[in-house]
Amino acid sequence: FLLQPLLAFVKRSNSSEAFLAVTLGTVLLSSSLTQAFGLSETLGAFVGGVLVAETDYKHQIEVALAAQARRGDGAEVKPT
């Protein structure tokens, strides 16, 4: 719905940091929303991850996360 065009817009900017920020922001927003409705933050993070995984940019997101992990700026992510 809104995520696909938003990611397309950010991708055109050629900024991997902005692309990653939108991705992580989506997961954090869904986590906060589920908590606001009295549900688990973990459930919201899962839902956010599913939303991101259903986009056409899932492989680019995986590459961006792996690059951050190699730099030591984030959690360890192993690409599949």
Side-chain angles (χ1 to χ4, degrees), residues 36-70:
F37 287 115
L39 300 170
S40 166
E41 290 176 339
T42 306
L43 176 63
F46 174 75
V47 170
V50 169
L51 287 173
V52 168
E54 290 298 317
T55 67
D56 294 335
Y57 299 99
K58 59 187 163 198
H59 298 295
Q60 289 94 334
I61 293 166
E62 186 176 354
V63 169
L65 285 171
Q68 286 295 110
R70 280 193 300 275

